Structure formats: C-alpha cells, structure tokens
Amino acid sequence: MLHSVIPAGGSGTRLWPLSRADNPKFLHPLTGSDLTLIQSTVARLAPLSDAAHRYVVTGTAHAAAVARQLPELPESNILVEPSPRDSAAAIALAAAVIAERDPNALMGSFAADHLIADAAGFAKTVEAAMEMAADGLLMTIGITPTGPDTSYGYLRRGEALGAGNLLQEFKEKPDHVAAVEYVSSGDYLWNASMFVWRVDVFLAELNRQRPHLHDTVRELAGAWDSPRREELFGKLWPELEKISVDYAVMEGAAAAGKVGVVPGDFGWNDVGDFDTLGAILPPHDDSGNVVISTGAEGVDVLTLDARRNVLVPGSGRLVATVGTDDLIIVDTPDALLVCPRDRAQDVKKLVDELKNRGDTGLV
C-alpha cells in the first residue's frame, strides 16, 4: 500500500483573479467536471492508497477547506504548516510523520493542482516507480515531452534500469534552443515533481544533505500526537530553510547515483495559466470558446463572432463578448481580467504589481 502525500500550497498567481492566496487553484473545479483539482488528485490515487494512507500538507488558511472537500480524509492526516517553507519542508514533514507510523513505508508525493487525462496510465506508472523504490532508489516520474517547452525543468536519463533509468541530472528551465536539443535527443523528460521512495531511504538522504531539516522534522513528527506539537512548531518551523525538495535532496542524490526515473505518458498538465486551460478543456461551442466553471450562481456567457476565447464567469452576471478572438476574460466579484491568450504567463506580473501597491486584499 502506498502512503500518498499531496502537497497543497501556493496561490496560483498566473490564474489570478480566480486563484487567490486564500482560495488557490487546487480548491477550484478546473478539471472539466464538478471535481476540484485536489478532489481529482485524490480520485486518481484511490487505486494506489486508501483514505487511511493519504495525507495532505497544506497551510493554516486552507486546512478547513481541504477538510470540507475531502471528508473521508482522517483529520490526523491533514498536516498543517504554520507558514510556507517550500516543498522540502512540507514533503520531509510528511515523510517523518509516516515513518513514525510505518518505518519502512513506501511514500509517493503528487501535487494537488495537476490535471491528468489517463488515470489508469498514471497508476501503472506509479506502480512501476514503486517497484524500483522498494529496492532503495529515490524515484521520480518524468513526463514524456510533447514539444520543446521552456516552462518546465528537465530530467536527463542515464543508463536503463528496470522499468526506467537512473537519473543522470536535473536541468533548469531551458531557453528554446536548449529545449529543442533536449527533446530531439530523446534523453530528457519534463520534471513534474512527482516522487516515490521508501521513507527510511529518503530520510537517510535528507540527513546526509540537510541534517538540520532532518532533525527538525523528526522531532516534530515524534511529538505529532502529543501536547508539545504546537509549541515545537512555533519554535522550530520558522527556522527552517525555504528550499525545494529538488534542490535540498534530489539533485545531490542524483549526482550520487541514488535517483531513478520512470517515464510517464498519461496526459499530464500542471494547469499553469488560463491559456493552458483553454487548450486542454473541451470547447463550449463550435467557435472554440472555452468556458471555465467556477461554481458561482447565476453565471452566463454570450458570444457573437468570437473565437478561441477563454471565459471565466464568476461574478454572477452575464459575460458577453462581440468580435473578440484569443482573449482571456475572467470576471470575479472584485476584479476583472482581460488579457490576450499569448500573454497568459504575464498575469503573474499583475499580481506582483498589486503586491507592490499594497493591494493585498486582491491577491
């Protein structure tokens, strides 16, 4: 049985104004169904782990919403971070808590805000990673590239091993020329930050590379079911380094020959922006317009001579457009976004500007 961990953090700034710090994208139904992203993540993990072996790591602002959306999840399996310290602390804490309950457990970490088209293919790939992880490798799942995308990091495969390869190295997000070279070589996969390992192996490697982080999460996990937990969190958690698990553990482990990778080809997408959603969700009409449901009451959309727009009606009023092509229109009760689809990545800059202006209530 896999102990599946779902890190649920971040505010999804490229999906503003729908995604906010207090209501981030993983709590929204952006899957083309009534399921939110985190509910969809749990549904595809169901064949691999039952509710008792599922964990969510999230912030204090989102813990109640996570509990409402996942009522079958045991309360003790919602691991609440007092403040965000990036993925290394979140994943390490989960590994330490699991190790207290099952020292030799197999653990998988899968983000709350990804879309996957082929759930059966996903499960089969995770099972292949589990087999290699049982032998002591730290495993990651790399996505077979569909093109030279510069918005993802890459994984360079080494020698063949089992159902996958040893991982030779992690590569940062490349420029277009490098991305073309990576994809053309056939030696590279997209880094989707999906991991599978034995908790004892991961914690040993964490201790080798980041002993302070290791000792802290082990102390917190040891007090998890005791009255000392709150006091320890208040004292120890703010001192932890803000660093991703890739930088903290996986890159160094790969250099030491301790990381394996299996390729995944199951229709993965990280839902990074509205243009991406427009490309993967089914069109609303014959003109290629995509309407994204927010669950708001009384929403309506009317288009005339409009093509390939991404429309998000979320204010309860009619959103109408005439003669517009390739626009993003997001209507919420307190903010309206209008943006060309090819500038979707720049929405993050708007959020940064709002923060600079002090309009924190809008982000």
Side-chain angles (χ1 to χ4, degrees):
M1 179 66 67
L2 182 71
H3 293 249
S4 56
V5 174
I6 303 172
S11 56
T13 52
R14 291 180 178 87
L15 289 172
W16 182 88
L18 179 61
S19 181
R20 310 285 183 98
D22 61 351
N23 193 22
K25 62 180 179 178
F26 63 81
L27 296 174
H28 291 274
L30 305 178
T31 63
S33 72
D34 291 334
L35 294 179
T36 64
L37 287 172
I38 194 169
Q39 289 171 331
S40 180
T41 301
V42 166
R44 66 175 164 266
L45 288 169
L48 299 163
S49 62
D50 59 23
H53 293 85
R54 258 179 246 135
Y55 302 78
V56 174
V57 187
T58 194
T60 54
H62 311 133
V66 167
R68 285 195 301 270
Q69 291 198 7
L70 305 175
E72 75 287 354
L73 190 69
E75 183 180 352
S76 61
N77 287 12
I78 300 177
L79 312 185
V80 182
E81 303 175 283
S83 60
R85 309 308 294 173
D86 214 326
S87 63
I91 291 173
L93 174 65
V97 170
I98 292 168
E100 288 288 321
R101 302 174 181 181
D102 183 353
N104 298 310
L106 271 178
M107 166 186 161
S109 175
F110 311 96
D113 55 3
H114 291 176
L115 274 178
I116 288 176
D118 179 7
F122 166 79
K124 185 176 180 180
T125 303
V126 174
E127 287 170 348
M130 290 169 64
E131 290 182 9
M132 296 176 71
D135 292 331
L137 282 172
L138 300 173
M139 295 300 300
T140 186
I141 295 172
I143 305 301
T144 303
T146 57
D149 201 305
T150 61
S151 60
Y152 302 130
Y154 283 73
L155 306 170
R156 185 181 179 190
R157 292 189 281 188
E159 65 178 271
L161 183 67
N165 303 79
L166 282 176
L167 180 61
Q168 191 162 345
E169 63 178 325
F170 287 77
K171 304 291 282 189
E172 297 291 337
K173 295 176 183 178
D175 59 25
H176 182 71
V177 173
V180 170
E181 292 177 354
Y182 291 172
V183 175
S184 298
S185 74
D187 295 332
Y188 291 83
L189 302 168
W190 286 338
N191 182 6
S193 295
M194 297 181 187
F195 307 108
V196 180
W197 47 54
R198 287 195 343 233
V199 289
D200 61 324
V201 174
F202 172 76
L203 289 169
E205 185 63 17
L206 180 68
N207 189 38
R208 182 179 79 87
Q209 296 192 52
R210 291 290 192 282
H212 175 67
L213 175 56
H214 169 271
D215 292 348
T216 300
V217 296
R218 293 306 296 259
E219 185 174 359
L220 289 170
W224 193 255
D225 296 317
S226 79
R228 297 182 58 237
R229 184 172 76 180
E230 295 299 325
E231 176 190 350
L232 282 176
F233 259 108
K235 181 176 70 173
L236 301 177
W237 192 261
E239 299 176 357
L240 292 180
E241 180 183 11
K242 282 189 176 183
I243 188 171
S244 73
V245 72
D246 285 9
Y247 289 136
V249 177
M250 297 302 283
E251 290 189 359
K258 299 179 179 181
V259 179
V261 58
V262 291
D265 188 11
F266 36 70
W268 171 86
N269 198 285
D270 72 345
V271 197
D273 57 45
F274 286 112
D275 180 57
T276 300
L277 279 172
I280 61 180
L281 292 179
H284 174 72
D285 55 32
D286 293 338
S287 297
N289 296 299
V290 171
V291 177
I292 298 174
S293 171
T294 64
E297 296 290 335
V299 298
D300 194 11
V301 167
L302 180 62
T303 61
L304 179 63
D305 297 329
R307 294 174 292 274
R308 299 177 303 278
N309 298 286
V310 179
L311 307 163
V312 188
S315 67
R317 61 189 170 194
L318 172 70
V319 174
T321 180
V322 179
T324 61
D325 296 342
D326 302 302
L327 285 184
I328 296 164
I329 302 173
V330 185
D331 188 30
T332 70
D334 61 352
L336 169 67
L337 170 69
V338 180
C339 169
R341 286 185 61 165
D342 62 6
R343 297 288 302 276
Q345 287 280 313
D346 291 335
V347 172
K348 181 181 186 298
K349 296 179 182 178
L350 281 178
V351 176
D352 292 339
E353 182 59 27
L354 287 168
K355 292 177 181 177
N356 292 337
R357 287 173 32 175
D359 290 333
T360 55
L362 289 172
V363 299

